[in-house]
Amino acid sequence: MARIVHTLIACCGLASIAFALPVLAQDKPHPPMAAPNPPVLKQVTTEFPKGDQLEARMMTALIQPGSASPWHTHAAPVAVYVIDGTFTLELKGREPVVLKAGQGMLEPINVEMRAANRSDEPVKVVIFQVSDPATPFMHPTTQ
């Protein structure tokens, strides 16, 4: 009889642990779910190229204080995101666009422009373009 009582107690103990483990596991904090932040840039355009094959290009650029890219145009839109500093996009015949860290823009196609740093600190940007693989990233112009 004692053996039956001990077996019964052991079974009840094991059953208690089996039921308690899931409850104890729920007490541990779960890591937060990964979720994207709201878009930095959300813009509708009809200027993206169409084709059977398109190439995505993502680059970074570090622009030193007082420097600028050559004047150029793009055949496909370029998305720019500023990581650090203050970025200035000078557009021929238009007001310059000034972006600070955390801001982005979609550069227009076929408009003469140059990227510049008019501040005292370096500017770091991420540049993204989708175009036909044979299309150069930019076309230098004479200004």
Side-chain angles (χ1 to χ4, degrees):
M1 179 74 164
R3 181 178 249 180
I4 293 174
V5 170
H6 288 283
T7 304
L8 199 55
I9 291 172
C11 287
C12 288
L14 288 174
S16 308
I17 292 171
F19 287 114
L21 283 177
V23 173
L24 291 173
Q26 290 175 3
D27 290 342
K28 291 183 181 179
H30 294 287
M33 290 186 59
N37 292 325
V40 172
L41 173 68
K42 188 174 180 180
Q43 182 176 337
V44 175
T45 182
T46 58
E47 296 180 340
F48 282 111
K50 287 113 179 116
D52 292 334
Q53 289 190 341
L54 297 174
E55 178 178 77
R57 301 170 182 146
M58 186 179 298
M59 300 161 267
T60 60
L62 182 63
I63 307 168
Q64 295 299 329
S67 66
S69 71
W71 285 94
H72 61 277
T73 62
H74 295 288
V78 173
V80 178
Y81 175 75
V82 182
I83 297 173
D84 290 313
T86 302
F87 172 83
T88 301
L89 184 67
E90 298 173 353
L91 303 150
K92 188 174 182 182
R94 301 182 190 186
E95 289 295 313
V97 177
V98 178
L99 302 173
K100 297 190 179 297
Q103 295 180 311
M105 72 170 292
L106 193 60
E107 294 180 355
I109 64 169
N110 303 320
V111 173
E112 284 190 67
M113 67 183 75
R114 70 178 175 177
N117 180 352
R118 301 296 173 222
S119 74
D120 296 330
E121 300 291 326
V123 175
K124 187 166 187 178
V125 296
V126 174
I127 306 161
F128 180 76
Q129 181 187 55
V130 175
S131 69
D132 181 277
T135 301
F137 171 69
M138 68 180 192
H139 301 278
T141 63
T142 55
Q143 176 63 16

